[in-house]
């Protein structure tokens, strides 16, 4: 297997979002993965290899995820550079497709993300996002819908079951069939452009757990009724409801807030 990755080996590969490293790797050189949009790094090394301090230059490590073998997390957390990843998960990373939705699940953590969708299966259907999936008799809690997953799926309606924590960017962009959306309790973040240009969307409900909303997330021209269950309004950009006639819209909030 590969033992060394040299300096600048994958530098400036700006389309690079996912990288898998072999168990045989012993060193990574300067700016080897200076690839701005890297999001997921899977390491099969039982011990973190020697790595240049700027190997991931330009990468927002606080927002990236590192996947490591079961039982190695404490060692990675103590190692320079490796410890800087904002999310560190341990276990084997696998994928499974269920009813047109592809899930990436991590065996040692009991969590799963939605990473792809088959529009030939889902078009014209009522789309249901489950709060968890069961694989080999083990339950995996749904953590996130990755960016743009349902961007080309023409669903007739959307139901998100409780359990999900994050909706990525551009996930439901331009889905005009969506008229009413309820974001369930447990969701903490909604990404930029998540429901942008959903021009059929008139009614929206936000959960009490919500902490952040990305830019243009609900730039959906005909939104009329927004129900917020947040006891304190989360901070948002001025353009979150771009195109919405806010002066003519109604916001429903908890009593006393």
């Amino acid at each position: 297997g590969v033992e060394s990755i040299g300096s600048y080996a994958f530098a400036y590969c700006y389309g690079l979002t996912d990288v898998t490293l072999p168990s045989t790797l012993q060193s990574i050189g300067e700016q080897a993965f200076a690839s701005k949009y890297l999001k997921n790094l899977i390491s099969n090394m039982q011990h973190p290899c020697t790595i240049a301090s700027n190997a991931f230059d330009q990468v927002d490590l606080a927002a990236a995820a590192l996947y490591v073998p079961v039982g190695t997390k404490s060692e990675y957390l103590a190692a320079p550079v490796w410890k800087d990843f904002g999310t560190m998960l341990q276990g084997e990373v696998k994928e499974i497709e269920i009813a047109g939705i592809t899930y990436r699940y991590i065996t040692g953590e009991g969590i799963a993300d939605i990473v792809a969708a088959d529009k030939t299966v889902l078009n014209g259907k009522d789309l249901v996002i489950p709060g968890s999936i069961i694989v080999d008799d083990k339950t995996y809690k749904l953590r996130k819908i990755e960016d743009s997953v349902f961007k080309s799926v023409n669903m007739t309606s959307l139901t998100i079951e409780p359990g999900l924590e994050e909706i990525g960017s551009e996930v439901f962009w331009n889905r005009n069939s969506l008229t009413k959306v309820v974001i369930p309790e447990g969701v903490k973040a909604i990404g930029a452009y998540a429901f942008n240009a959903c021009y059929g969307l008139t009614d929206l409900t936000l959960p009490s757990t919500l902490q952040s909303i990305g830019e243009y997330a609900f730039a959906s021209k005909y939104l009329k009724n927004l129900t917020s269950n947040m006891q304190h309004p989360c901070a948002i950009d001025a353009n979150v409801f771009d195109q919405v006639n806010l002066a003519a819209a109604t916001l429903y909030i908890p009593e006393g807030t």
Side-chain angles (χ1 to χ4, degrees):
V2 174
E3 296 183 357
S4 178
I5 297 175
S7 297
Y8 299 92
F10 295 91
Y12 317 124
C13 295
Y14 290 138
L16 187 62
T17 59
D18 294 73
V19 172
T20 298
L21 302 176
S23 62
T24 53
L25 196 61
Q26 297 178 17
S27 66
I28 301 176
E30 292 185 5
Q31 299 195 45
F33 295 101
S35 305
K36 195 172 183 180
Y37 299 105
L38 183 67
K39 294 181 179 179
N40 298 296
L41 181 67
I42 300 172
S43 171
N44 291 301
M45 296 178 288
Q46 289 296 321
H47 306 283
C49 71
T50 301
I51 185 170
S53 61
N54 60 0
F56 299 107
D57 189 50
Q58 299 188 39
V59 178
D60 183 1
L61 291 181
L66 172 64
Y67 302 84
V68 301
V70 171
T72 67
K73 191 172 182 178
S74 60
E75 190 172 351
Y76 276 87
L77 284 170
V81 182
W82 302 104
K83 64 182 177 58
D84 296 329
F85 280 80
T87 300
M88 191 178 297
L89 304 168
Q90 59 181 347
E92 192 174 356
V93 180
K94 296 184 176 182
E95 290 188 359
I96 186 172
E97 181 177 335
I98 303 173
I101 299 175
T102 300
Y103 301 86
R104 178 187 292 149
Y105 62 99
I106 301 92
T107 58
E109 298 285 352
I111 58 175
D113 298 332
I114 293 177
V115 296
D118 185 346
K119 65 180 181 181
T120 62
V121 174
L122 298 171
N123 278 353
K125 303 289 181 61
D126 296 331
L127 178 62
V128 178
I129 306 298
S132 62
I133 60 171
I134 297 176
V135 183
D136 297 330
D137 297 323
K138 181 175 180 178
T139 298
Y140 293 86
K141 182 180 180 297
L142 191 62
R143 181 181 61 157
K144 180 181 180 181
I145 305 174
E146 292 283 1
D147 297 350
S148 306
V149 168
F150 296 105
K151 193 173 179 179
S152 61
V153 175
N154 293 315
M155 72 287 291
T156 54
S157 67
L158 172 65
T159 301
I160 305 175
E161 297 180 348
L164 180 69
E165 294 183 5
E166 183 177 350
I167 298 172
S169 299
E170 303 181 13
V171 172
F172 298 103
W173 184 320
N174 196 26
R175 299 303 89 200
N176 290 332
S177 58
L178 300 180
T179 59
K180 181 178 181 181
V181 172
V182 177
I183 309 296
E185 291 298 312
V187 172
K188 298 176 182 177
I190 298 171
Y193 297 88
F195 292 86
N196 178 60
C198 293
Y199 291 135
L201 185 61
T202 59
D203 293 79
L204 173 66
T205 299
L206 301 177
S208 65
T209 50
L210 195 59
Q211 298 175 8
S212 66
I213 305 175
E215 61 178 0
Y216 299 99
F218 297 105
S220 304
K221 195 172 183 180
Y222 300 106
L223 185 65
K224 294 179 181 178
N225 299 297
L226 175 62
T227 300
S228 170
N229 291 303
M230 294 180 284
Q231 289 294 321
H232 306 282
C234 68
I236 62 174
D237 288 338
N239 56 22
V240 164
F241 298 105
D242 189 60
Q243 300 185 45
V244 178
N245 183 359
L246 294 180
T250 303
L251 174 63
Y252 301 89
I253 59 178
E255 186 175 355
T257 65

